[in-house]
Amino acid sequence: MFGLDMTFLNWDIISKFVIKGFIFSVQLTIIATIGGIIFGTVLALMRLSGKRFLTVPATIYVNGMRSVPLVMVILWFFLLVPASFYTTFGNWGANYRAEISAIITFVAFEAAYFSEIMRAGIQSISRGQVNAGRALGMSYAQNMKLIILPQAFRNMVPILLTQTIILFQDTSLVYAIGAYDLLKGFSTAGKIYGRPEEAYLLAAVVYFVICFGLSFMVKRLNNRIAIIR
Protein backbone atom coordinates (compact mmCIF):
# COMPACT_ATOMS: atom_id res chain seq x y z
CA MET A 1 0.00 0.00 0.00
CA PHE A 2 1.33 3.39 -1.08
CA GLY A 3 4.47 1.56 -2.25
CA LEU A 4 5.63 0.80 1.31
CA ASP A 5 7.51 -2.41 2.05
CA MET A 6 7.71 -3.32 5.73
CA THR A 7 9.36 -6.69 5.21
CA PHE A 8 12.89 -5.22 5.23
CA LEU A 9 12.80 -4.78 9.01
CA ASN A 10 13.73 -8.10 10.60
CA TRP A 11 15.17 -9.01 13.98
CA ASP A 12 18.74 -8.78 12.70
CA ILE A 13 18.24 -5.14 11.70
CA ILE A 14 16.36 -4.36 14.91
CA SER A 15 19.10 -5.84 17.11
CA LYS A 16 21.83 -4.11 15.09
CA PHE A 17 20.34 -0.59 14.83
CA VAL A 18 17.12 -0.09 16.80
CA ILE A 19 17.84 -1.74 20.16
CA LYS A 20 20.93 0.42 20.73
CA GLY A 21 18.90 3.60 20.19
CA PHE A 22 16.02 2.33 22.33
CA ILE A 23 18.38 1.60 25.23
CA PHE A 24 19.81 5.12 25.12
CA SER A 25 16.32 6.69 24.91
CA VAL A 26 15.26 4.75 28.01
CA GLN A 27 18.50 5.61 29.83
CA LEU A 28 18.10 9.27 28.97
CA THR A 29 14.49 9.23 30.18
CA ILE A 30 15.36 7.57 33.49
CA ILE A 31 18.40 9.79 34.21
CA ALA A 32 16.56 12.98 33.22
CA THR A 33 13.55 12.00 35.35
CA ILE A 34 15.60 11.23 38.46
CA GLY A 35 17.87 14.25 38.02
CA GLY A 36 14.94 16.49 37.12
CA ILE A 37 12.97 15.48 40.21
CA ILE A 38 15.97 15.98 42.51
CA PHE A 39 16.95 19.40 41.15
CA GLY A 40 13.30 20.29 40.60
CA THR A 41 12.57 19.66 44.28
CA VAL A 42 15.48 21.91 45.26
CA LEU A 43 14.17 24.65 42.94
CA ALA A 44 10.65 24.25 44.33
CA LEU A 45 11.88 24.55 47.92
CA MET A 46 13.90 27.61 46.95
CA ARG A 47 10.80 29.27 45.46
CA LEU A 48 8.74 28.42 48.53
CA SER A 49 11.40 29.49 51.03
CA GLY A 50 10.21 33.09 51.17
CA LYS A 51 13.81 34.29 51.03
CA ARG A 52 14.42 36.66 48.15
CA PHE A 53 18.01 35.58 47.48
CA LEU A 54 16.66 32.05 46.87
CA THR A 55 13.31 32.75 45.21
CA VAL A 56 14.60 35.21 42.60
CA PRO A 57 17.28 33.02 40.95
CA ALA A 58 15.04 29.95 41.14
CA THR A 59 12.14 31.83 39.52
CA ILE A 60 14.37 33.22 36.77
CA TYR A 61 15.77 29.77 36.04
CA VAL A 62 12.40 28.01 35.97
CA ASN A 63 10.61 30.65 33.89
CA GLY A 64 13.59 31.02 31.58
CA MET A 65 13.84 27.30 30.83
CA ARG A 66 10.09 26.93 30.38
CA SER A 67 10.05 29.81 27.88
CA VAL A 68 12.61 28.31 25.48
CA PRO A 69 11.99 25.33 23.13
CA LEU A 70 13.86 22.22 24.25
CA VAL A 71 15.47 21.68 20.85
CA MET A 72 17.08 25.12 21.07
CA VAL A 73 18.51 24.36 24.51
CA ILE A 74 19.87 21.06 23.17
CA LEU A 75 21.56 22.82 20.25
CA TRP A 76 22.87 25.72 22.36
CA PHE A 77 24.50 23.47 24.93
CA PHE A 78 26.00 21.15 22.33
CA LEU A 79 27.36 23.95 20.12
CA LEU A 80 28.38 26.55 22.70
CA VAL A 81 30.04 24.36 25.33
CA PRO A 82 33.72 23.83 24.38
CA ALA A 83 34.68 20.36 23.18
CA SER A 84 37.32 20.30 25.92
CA PHE A 85 34.52 20.07 28.48
CA TYR A 86 33.66 16.57 27.33
CA THR A 87 37.25 15.35 27.64
CA THR A 88 36.80 15.49 31.41
CA PHE A 89 34.80 12.29 30.96
CA GLY A 90 37.83 10.62 29.34
CA ASN A 91 37.73 8.75 26.05
CA TRP A 92 34.08 7.96 26.64
CA GLY A 93 33.33 11.68 26.72
CA ALA A 94 35.16 12.29 23.47
CA ASN A 95 33.36 9.44 21.70
CA TYR A 96 29.90 10.17 23.11
CA ARG A 97 29.86 13.96 23.18
CA ALA A 98 26.31 14.17 21.81
CA GLU A 99 24.94 11.67 24.32
CA ILE A 100 26.61 13.39 27.31
CA SER A 101 25.39 16.76 26.10
CA ALA A 102 21.84 15.38 25.77
CA ILE A 103 21.86 13.96 29.31
CA ILE A 104 23.07 17.22 30.91
CA THR A 105 20.64 19.30 28.86
CA PHE A 106 17.62 17.14 29.65
CA VAL A 107 18.33 17.10 33.39
CA ALA A 108 18.71 20.89 33.44
CA PHE A 109 15.64 21.47 31.28
CA GLU A 110 13.31 18.98 32.92
CA ALA A 111 14.21 20.29 36.39
CA ALA A 112 12.25 23.44 35.56
CA TYR A 113 9.11 21.45 34.72
CA PHE A 114 9.41 19.04 37.62
CA SER A 115 9.96 22.06 39.87
CA GLU A 116 6.50 23.41 39.05
CA ILE A 117 4.96 19.99 39.64
CA MET A 118 6.71 19.69 42.99
CA ARG A 119 5.75 23.22 44.02
CA ALA A 120 2.09 22.57 43.21
CA GLY A 121 2.21 19.27 45.11
CA ILE A 122 3.75 20.86 48.19
CA GLN A 123 1.21 23.68 48.15
CA SER A 124 -1.63 21.13 47.90
CA ILE A 125 -0.93 19.92 51.44
CA SER A 126 -3.26 21.62 53.88
CA ARG A 127 -1.85 24.24 56.22
CA GLY A 128 -3.38 22.30 59.11
CA GLN A 129 -0.89 19.48 58.69
CA VAL A 130 1.98 21.94 58.40
CA ASN A 131 0.89 23.67 61.60
CA ALA A 132 0.48 20.29 63.33
CA GLY A 133 4.10 19.48 62.55
CA ARG A 134 5.19 22.81 63.95
CA ALA A 135 3.13 22.22 67.08
CA LEU A 136 5.04 18.99 67.62
CA GLY A 137 8.26 20.99 67.61
CA MET A 138 9.45 19.92 64.16
CA SER A 139 11.84 22.12 62.25
CA TYR A 140 11.12 23.27 58.68
CA ALA A 141 13.34 20.51 57.31
CA GLN A 142 11.74 17.81 59.48
CA ASN A 143 8.27 19.02 58.53
CA MET A 144 9.14 18.79 54.84
CA LYS A 145 10.84 15.40 55.14
CA LEU A 146 8.34 13.62 57.38
CA ILE A 147 4.97 15.23 56.67
CA ILE A 148 4.76 17.36 53.55
CA LEU A 149 6.98 15.72 50.89
CA PRO A 150 5.75 12.11 51.39
CA GLN A 151 2.13 13.20 50.90
CA ALA A 152 3.04 15.56 48.08
CA PHE A 153 4.90 12.81 46.20
CA ARG A 154 1.93 10.48 46.50
CA ASN A 155 -0.41 13.13 45.13
CA MET A 156 2.01 13.93 42.29
CA VAL A 157 2.81 10.39 41.12
CA PRO A 158 0.38 10.42 38.15
CA ILE A 159 1.48 13.82 36.84
CA LEU A 160 5.16 12.96 37.41
CA LEU A 161 4.70 9.82 35.33
CA THR A 162 2.83 11.78 32.67
CA GLN A 163 5.72 14.24 32.46
CA THR A 164 8.09 11.27 32.16
CA ILE A 165 6.12 9.98 29.15
CA ILE A 166 6.38 13.42 27.54
CA LEU A 167 10.09 13.35 28.34
CA PHE A 168 10.45 10.01 26.53
CA GLN A 169 8.78 11.52 23.47
CA ASP A 170 11.11 14.52 23.65
CA THR A 171 14.19 12.28 23.60
CA SER A 172 13.68 12.08 19.82
CA LEU A 173 14.91 15.71 19.66
CA VAL A 174 18.49 14.63 20.43
CA TYR A 175 18.52 13.45 16.82
CA ALA A 176 19.31 17.12 16.03
CA ILE A 177 22.81 16.78 17.53
CA GLY A 178 23.48 13.28 16.24
CA ALA A 179 22.92 11.36 19.47
CA TYR A 180 22.04 7.71 18.84
CA ASP A 181 18.50 7.45 20.20
CA LEU A 182 15.52 5.31 19.13
CA LEU A 183 14.65 7.60 16.20
CA LYS A 184 18.28 7.65 15.06
CA GLY A 185 18.28 3.84 15.07
CA PHE A 186 15.27 3.64 12.76
CA SER A 187 16.66 6.43 10.57
CA THR A 188 20.03 4.71 10.20
CA ALA A 189 18.43 1.39 9.26
CA GLY A 190 16.14 3.14 6.77
CA LYS A 191 19.02 4.93 5.06
CA ILE A 192 21.26 1.87 4.85
CA TYR A 193 18.55 -0.35 3.37
CA GLY A 194 16.94 2.35 1.25
CA ARG A 195 13.62 2.35 3.13
CA PRO A 196 13.47 5.74 4.92
CA GLU A 197 9.68 6.11 4.64
CA GLU A 198 9.01 2.69 6.15
CA ALA A 199 11.58 3.27 8.89
CA TYR A 200 10.05 6.59 10.01
CA LEU A 201 6.54 5.12 9.87
CA LEU A 202 7.59 2.21 12.06
CA ALA A 203 9.33 4.60 14.44
CA ALA A 204 6.07 6.54 14.82
CA VAL A 205 4.18 3.30 15.51
CA VAL A 206 6.73 2.23 18.16
CA TYR A 207 6.58 5.63 19.91
CA PHE A 208 2.76 5.50 19.83
CA VAL A 209 2.53 1.98 21.25
CA ILE A 210 5.01 2.71 24.07
CA CYS A 211 3.50 6.07 25.04
CA PHE A 212 -0.12 4.92 24.72
CA GLY A 213 0.59 1.87 26.84
CA LEU A 214 2.31 3.93 29.53
CA SER A 215 -0.49 6.53 29.47
CA PHE A 216 -3.05 3.77 30.02
CA MET A 217 -1.06 2.49 33.02
CA VAL A 218 -0.84 6.01 34.46
CA LYS A 219 -4.61 6.40 34.11
CA ARG A 220 -5.18 3.15 36.01
CA LEU A 221 -2.75 4.26 38.71
CA ASN A 222 -4.48 7.62 38.99
CA ASN A 223 -7.81 5.86 39.56
CA ARG A 224 -6.26 3.73 42.31
CA ILE A 225 -4.76 6.76 44.05
CA ALA A 226 -8.10 8.56 43.81
CA ILE A 227 -9.78 5.63 45.60
CA ILE A 228 -7.13 5.68 48.37
CA ARG A 229 -7.73 9.40 48.90
mmCIF file with all atom_site columns, all heavy atoms in Angstrom, residues 144-159:
data_model
loop_
_atom_site.group_PDB
_atom_site.id
_atom_site.type_symbol
_atom_site.label_atom_id
_atom_site.label_alt_id
_atom_site.label_comp_id
_atom_site.label_asym_id
_atom_site.label_entity_id
_atom_site.label_seq_id
_atom_site.pdbx_PDB_ins_code
_atom_site.Cartn_x
_atom_site.Cartn_y
_atom_site.Cartn_z
_atom_site.occupancy
_atom_site.B_iso_or_equiv
_atom_site.pdbx_formal_charge
_atom_site.auth_seq_id
_atom_site.auth_comp_id
_atom_site.auth_asym_id
_atom_site.auth_atom_id
_atom_site.pdbx_PDB_model_num
ATOM 1   N N   . MET A 1 144 ? 9.118  19.124 56.260 1.00 0.00 ? 144 MET A N   1
ATOM 2   C CA  . MET A 1 144 ? 9.135  18.793 54.839 1.00 0.00 ? 144 MET A CA  1
ATOM 3   C C   . MET A 1 144 ? 9.406  17.303 54.622 1.00 0.00 ? 144 MET A C   1
ATOM 4   O O   . MET A 1 144 ? 8.736  16.642 53.830 1.00 0.00 ? 144 MET A O   1
ATOM 5   C CB  . MET A 1 144 ? 10.210 19.620 54.122 1.00 0.00 ? 144 MET A CB  1
ATOM 6   C CG  . MET A 1 144 ? 9.785  21.020 53.748 1.00 0.00 ? 144 MET A CG  1
ATOM 7   S SD  . MET A 1 144 ? 8.569  20.978 52.397 1.00 0.00 ? 144 MET A SD  1
ATOM 8   C CE  . MET A 1 144 ? 8.200  22.731 52.257 1.00 0.00 ? 144 MET A CE  1
ATOM 9   N N   . LYS A 1 145 ? 10.401 16.774 55.336 1.00 0.00 ? 145 LYS A N   1
ATOM 10  C CA  . LYS A 1 145 ? 10.844 15.400 55.140 1.00 0.00 ? 145 LYS A CA  1
ATOM 11  C C   . LYS A 1 145 ? 9.822  14.374 55.619 1.00 0.00 ? 145 LYS A C   1
ATOM 12  O O   . LYS A 1 145 ? 9.594  13.352 54.946 1.00 0.00 ? 145 LYS A O   1
ATOM 13  C CB  . LYS A 1 145 ? 12.170 15.187 55.871 1.00 0.00 ? 145 LYS A CB  1
ATOM 14  C CG  . LYS A 1 145 ? 12.726 13.777 55.756 1.00 0.00 ? 145 LYS A CG  1
ATOM 15  C CD  . LYS A 1 145 ? 14.030 13.649 56.520 1.00 0.00 ? 145 LYS A CD  1
ATOM 16  C CE  . LYS A 1 145 ? 14.565 12.213 56.453 1.00 0.00 ? 145 LYS A CE  1
ATOM 17  N NZ  . LYS A 1 145 ? 15.836 12.075 57.217 1.00 0.00 ? 145 LYS A NZ  1
ATOM 18  N N   . LEU A 1 146 ? 9.196  14.622 56.757 1.00 0.00 ? 146 LEU A N   1
ATOM 19  C CA  . LEU A 1 146 ? 8.345  13.618 57.381 1.00 0.00 ? 146 LEU A CA  1
ATOM 20  C C   . LEU A 1 146 ? 6.852  13.783 57.096 1.00 0.00 ? 146 LEU A C   1
ATOM 21  O O   . LEU A 1 146 ? 6.113  12.793 57.141 1.00 0.00 ? 146 LEU A O   1
ATOM 22  C CB  . LEU A 1 146 ? 8.575  13.628 58.895 1.00 0.00 ? 146 LEU A CB  1
ATOM 23  C CG  . LEU A 1 146 ? 10.012 13.329 59.361 1.00 0.00 ? 146 LEU A CG  1
ATOM 24  C CD1 . LEU A 1 146 ? 10.116 13.465 60.864 1.00 0.00 ? 146 LEU A CD1 1
ATOM 25  C CD2 . LEU A 1 146 ? 10.435 11.929 58.906 1.00 0.00 ? 146 LEU A CD2 1
ATOM 26  N N   . ILE A 1 147 ? 6.407  14.995 56.823 1.00 0.00 ? 147 ILE A N   1
ATOM 27  C CA  . ILE A 1 147 ? 4.968  15.227 56.666 1.00 0.00 ? 147 ILE A CA  1
ATOM 28  C C   . ILE A 1 147 ? 4.585  15.669 55.256 1.00 0.00 ? 147 ILE A C   1
ATOM 29  O O   . ILE A 1 147 ? 3.741  15.047 54.608 1.00 0.00 ? 147 ILE A O   1
ATOM 30  C CB  . ILE A 1 147 ? 4.477  16.274 57.689 1.00 0.00 ? 147 ILE A CB  1
ATOM 31  C CG1 . ILE A 1 147 ? 4.664  15.742 59.112 1.00 0.00 ? 147 ILE A CG1 1
ATOM 32  C CG2 . ILE A 1 147 ? 3.012  16.625 57.451 1.00 0.00 ? 147 ILE A CG2 1
ATOM 33  C CD1 . ILE A 1 147 ? 4.235  16.700 60.195 1.00 0.00 ? 147 ILE A CD1 1
ATOM 34  N N   . ILE A 1 148 ? 5.213  16.733 54.790 1.00 0.00 ? 148 ILE A N   1
ATOM 35  C CA  . ILE A 1 148 ? 4.759  17.361 53.546 1.00 0.00 ? 148 ILE A CA  1
ATOM 36  C C   . ILE A 1 148 ? 5.183  16.589 52.297 1.00 0.00 ? 148 ILE A C   1
ATOM 37  O O   . ILE A 1 148 ? 4.340  16.209 51.465 1.00 0.00 ? 148 ILE A O   1
ATOM 38  C CB  . ILE A 1 148 ? 5.265  18.816 53.467 1.00 0.00 ? 148 ILE A CB  1
ATOM 39  C CG1 . ILE A 1 148 ? 4.733  19.616 54.665 1.00 0.00 ? 148 ILE A CG1 1
ATOM 40  C CG2 . ILE A 1 148 ? 4.832  19.461 52.156 1.00 0.00 ? 148 ILE A CG2 1
ATOM 41  C CD1 . ILE A 1 148 ? 5.283  21.018 54.761 1.00 0.00 ? 148 ILE A CD1 1
ATOM 42  N N   . LEU A 1 149 ? 6.484  16.346 52.124 1.00 0.00 ? 149 LEU A N   1
ATOM 43  C CA  . LEU A 1 149 ? 6.978  15.722 50.893 1.00 0.00 ? 149 LEU A CA  1
ATOM 44  C C   . LEU A 1 149 ? 6.422  14.313 50.648 1.00 0.00 ? 149 LEU A C   1
ATOM 45  O O   . LEU A 1 149 ? 6.067  13.994 49.507 1.00 0.00 ? 149 LEU A O   1
ATOM 46  C CB  . LEU A 1 149 ? 8.508  15.698 50.883 1.00 0.00 ? 149 LEU A CB  1
ATOM 47  C CG  . LEU A 1 149 ? 9.185  17.054 50.634 1.00 0.00 ? 149 LEU A CG  1
ATOM 48  C CD1 . LEU A 1 149 ? 10.703 16.905 50.676 1.00 0.00 ? 149 LEU A CD1 1
ATOM 49  C CD2 . LEU A 1 149 ? 8.755  17.634 49.296 1.00 0.00 ? 149 LEU A CD2 1
ATOM 50  N N   . PRO A 1 150 ? 6.325  13.440 51.668 1.00 0.00 ? 150 PRO A N   1
ATOM 51  C CA  . PRO A 1 150 ? 5.752  12.108 51.395 1.00 0.00 ? 150 PRO A CA  1
ATOM 52  C C   . PRO A 1 150 ? 4.334  12.176 50.837 1.00 0.00 ? 150 PRO A C   1
ATOM 53  O O   . PRO A 1 150 ? 3.990  11.460 49.893 1.00 0.00 ? 150 PRO A O   1
ATOM 54  C CB  . PRO A 1 150 ? 5.770  11.436 52.779 1.00 0.00 ? 150 PRO A CB  1
ATOM 55  C CG  . PRO A 1 150 ? 6.891  12.102 53.502 1.00 0.00 ? 150 PRO A CG  1
ATOM 56  C CD  . PRO A 1 150 ? 6.842  13.535 53.054 1.00 0.00 ? 150 PRO A CD  1
ATOM 57  N N   . GLN A 1 151 ? 3.492  13.066 51.409 1.00 0.00 ? 151 GLN A N   1
ATOM 58  C CA  . GLN A 1 151 ? 2.131  13.203 50.905 1.00 0.00 ? 151 GLN A CA  1
ATOM 59  C C   . GLN A 1 151 ? 2.107  13.874 49.527 1.00 0.00 ? 151 GLN A C   1
ATOM 60  O O   . GLN A 1 151 ? 1.332  13.499 48.651 1.00 0.00 ? 151 GLN A O   1
ATOM 61  C CB  . GLN A 1 151 ? 1.295  14.023 51.891 1.00 0.00 ? 151 GLN A CB  1
ATOM 62  C CG  . GLN A 1 151 ? 1.108  13.364 53.242 1.00 0.00 ? 151 GLN A CG  1
ATOM 63  C CD  . GLN A 1 151 ? 0.228  14.203 54.146 1.00 0.00 ? 151 GLN A CD  1
ATOM 64  O OE1 . GLN A 1 151 ? -0.993 14.233 53.980 1.00 0.00 ? 151 GLN A OE1 1
ATOM 65  N NE2 . GLN A 1 151 ? 0.844  14.907 55.091 1.00 0.00 ? 151 GLN A NE2 1
ATOM 66  N N   . ALA A 1 152 ? 2.985  14.857 49.356 1.00 0.00 ? 152 ALA A N   1
ATOM 67  C CA  . ALA A 1 152 ? 3.043  15.565 48.083 1.00 0.00 ? 152 ALA A CA  1
ATOM 68  C C   . ALA A 1 152 ? 3.451  14.614 46.956 1.00 0.00 ? 152 ALA A C   1
ATOM 69  O O   . ALA A 1 152 ? 2.865  14.636 45.868 1.00 0.00 ? 152 ALA A O   1
ATOM 70  C CB  . ALA A 1 152 ? 4.018  16.732 48.176 1.00 0.00 ? 152 ALA A CB  1
ATOM 71  N N   . PHE A 1 153 ? 4.449  13.763 47.216 1.00 0.00 ? 153 PHE A N   1
ATOM 72  C CA  . PHE A 1 153 ? 4.899  12.814 46.196 1.00 0.00 ? 153 PHE A CA  1
ATOM 73  C C   . PHE A 1 153 ? 3.773  11.856 45.821 1.00 0.00 ? 153 PHE A C   1
ATOM 74  O O   . PHE A 1 153 ? 3.600  11.531 44.640 1.00 0.00 ? 153 PHE A O   1
ATOM 75  C CB  . PHE A 1 153 ? 6.109  12.020 46.702 1.00 0.00 ? 153 PHE A CB  1
ATOM 76  C CG  . PHE A 1 153 ? 7.426  12.667 46.363 1.00 0.00 ? 153 PHE A CG  1
ATOM 77  C CD1 . PHE A 1 153 ? 8.247  13.165 47.369 1.00 0.00 ? 153 PHE A CD1 1
ATOM 78  C CD2 . PHE A 1 153 ? 7.849  12.773 45.048 1.00 0.00 ? 153 PHE A CD2 1
ATOM 79  C CE1 . PHE A 1 153 ? 9.463  13.759 47.066 1.00 0.00 ? 153 PHE A CE1 1
ATOM 80  C CE2 . PHE A 1 153 ? 9.060  13.374 44.745 1.00 0.00 ? 153 PHE A CE2 1
ATOM 81  C CZ  . PHE A 1 153 ? 9.870  13.869 45.750 1.00 0.00 ? 153 PHE A CZ  1
ATOM 82  N N   . ARG A 1 154 ? 3.030  11.392 46.806 1.00 0.00 ? 154 ARG A N   1
ATOM 83  C CA  . ARG A 1 154 ? 1.933  10.478 46.499 1.00 0.00 ? 154 ARG A CA  1
ATOM 84  C C   . ARG A 1 154 ? 0.889  11.157 45.620 1.00 0.00 ? 154 ARG A C   1
ATOM 85  O O   . ARG A 1 154 ? 0.384  10.567 44.665 1.00 0.00 ? 154 ARG A O   1
ATOM 86  C CB  . ARG A 1 154 ? 1.264  9.992  47.796 1.00 0.00 ? 154 ARG A CB  1
ATOM 87  C CG  . ARG A 1 154 ? 0.230  8.891  47.566 1.00 0.00 ? 154 ARG A CG  1
ATOM 88  C CD  . ARG A 1 154 ? -0.557 8.610  48.810 1.00 0.00 ? 154 ARG A CD  1
ATOM 89  N NE  . ARG A 1 154 ? -1.426 9.731  49.154 1.00 0.00 ? 154 ARG A NE  1
ATOM 90  C CZ  . ARG A 1 154 ? -2.207 9.771  50.227 1.00 0.00 ? 154 ARG A CZ  1
ATOM 91  N NH1 . ARG A 1 154 ? -2.193 8.764  51.084 1.00 0.00 ? 154 ARG A NH1 1
ATOM 92  N NH2 . ARG A 1 154 ? -2.965 10.818 50.473 1.00 0.00 ? 154 ARG A NH2 1
ATOM 93  N N   . ASN A 1 155 ? 0.575  12.397 45.928 1.00 0.00 ? 155 ASN A N   1
ATOM 94  C CA  . ASN A 1 155 ? -0.406 13.126 45.127 1.00 0.00 ? 155 ASN A CA  1
ATOM 95  C C   . ASN A 1 155 ? 0.101  13.401 43.707 1.00 0.00 ? 155 ASN A C   1
ATOM 96  O O   . ASN A 1 155 ? -0.690 13.517 42.768 1.00 0.00 ? 155 ASN A O   1
ATOM 97  C CB  . ASN A 1 155 ? -0.756 14.458 45.801 1.00 0.00 ? 155 ASN A CB  1
ATOM 98  C CG  . ASN A 1 155 ? -1.469 14.278 47.125 1.00 0.00 ? 155 ASN A CG  1
ATOM 99  O OD1 . ASN A 1 155 ? -2.057 13.217 47.383 1.00 0.00 ? 155 ASN A OD1 1
ATOM 100 N ND2 . ASN A 1 155 ? -1.425 15.281 47.969 1.00 0.00 ? 155 ASN A ND2 1
ATOM 101 N N   . MET A 1 156 ? 1.430  13.526 43.577 1.00 0.00 ? 156 MET A N   1
ATOM 102 C CA  . MET A 1 156 ? 2.005  13.932 42.292 1.00 0.00 ? 156 MET A CA  1
ATOM 103 C C   . MET A 1 156 ? 2.416  12.768 41.401 1.00 0.00 ? 156 MET A C   1
ATOM 104 O O   . MET A 1 156 ? 2.843  12.995 40.266 1.00 0.00 ? 156 MET A O   1
ATOM 105 C CB  . MET A 1 156 ? 3.224  14.822 42.538 1.00 0.00 ? 156 MET A CB  1
ATOM 106 C CG  . MET A 1 156 ? 2.904  16.167 43.136 1.00 0.00 ? 156 MET A CG  1
ATOM 107 S SD  . MET A 1 156 ? 4.390  17.163 43.362 1.00 0.00 ? 156 MET A SD  1
ATOM 108 C CE  . MET A 1 156 ? 5.311  16.191 44.553 1.00 0.00 ? 156 MET A CE  1
ATOM 109 N N   . VAL A 1 157 ? 2.323  11.530 41.899 1.00 0.00 ? 157 VAL A N   1
ATOM 110 C CA  . VAL A 1 157 ? 2.806  10.389 41.118 1.00 0.00 ? 157 VAL A CA  1
ATOM 111 C C   . VAL A 1 157 ? 2.228  10.345 39.705 1.00 0.00 ? 157 VAL A C   1
ATOM 112 O O   . VAL A 1 157 ? 2.973  10.205 38.727 1.00 0.00 ? 157 VAL A O   1
ATOM 113 C CB  . VAL A 1 157 ? 2.525  9.066  41.869 1.00 0.00 ? 157 VAL A CB  1
ATOM 114 C CG1 . VAL A 1 157 ? 2.700  7.866  40.941 1.00 0.00 ? 157 VAL A CG1 1
ATOM 115 C CG2 . VAL A 1 157 ? 3.478  8.927  43.047 1.00 0.00 ? 157 VAL A CG2 1
ATOM 116 N N   . PRO A 1 158 ? 0.915  10.488 39.522 1.00 0.00 ? 158 PRO A N   1
ATOM 117 C CA  . PRO A 1 158 ? 0.379  10.423 38.154 1.00 0.00 ? 158 PRO A CA  1
ATOM 118 C C   . PRO A 1 158 ? 0.937  11.505 37.227 1.00 0.00 ? 158 PRO A C   1
ATOM 119 O O   . PRO A 1 158 ? 1.313  11.215 36.085 1.00 0.00 ? 158 PRO A O   1
ATOM 120 C CB  . PRO A 1 158 ? -1.140 10.593 38.356 1.00 0.00 ? 158 PRO A CB  1
ATOM 121 C CG  . PRO A 1 158 ? -1.382 10.137 39.746 1.00 0.00 ? 158 PRO A CG  1
ATOM 122 C CD  . PRO A 1 158 ? -0.175 10.568 40.512 1.00 0.00 ? 158 PRO A CD  1
ATOM 123 N N   . ILE A 1 159 ? 1.000  12.736 37.704 1.00 0.00 ? 159 ILE A N   1
ATOM 124 C CA  . ILE A 1 159 ? 1.480  13.816 36.837 1.00 0.00 ? 159 ILE A CA  1
ATOM 125 C C   . ILE A 1 159 ? 2.987  13.711 36.612 1.00 0.00 ? 159 ILE A C   1
ATOM 126 O O   . ILE A 1 159 ? 3.491  14.078 35.542 1.00 0.00 ? 159 ILE A O   1
ATOM 127 C CB  . ILE A 1 159 ? 1.102  15.202 37.407 1.00 0.00 ? 159 ILE A CB  1
ATOM 128 C CG1 . ILE A 1 159 ? 1.353  16.288 36.343 1.00 0.00 ? 159 ILE A CG1 1
ATOM 129 C CG2 . ILE A 1 159 ? 1.853  15.511 38.673 1.00 0.00 ? 159 ILE A CG2 1
ATOM 130 C CD1 . ILE A 1 159 ? 0.761  17.619 36.701 1.00 0.00 ? 159 ILE A CD1 1
#
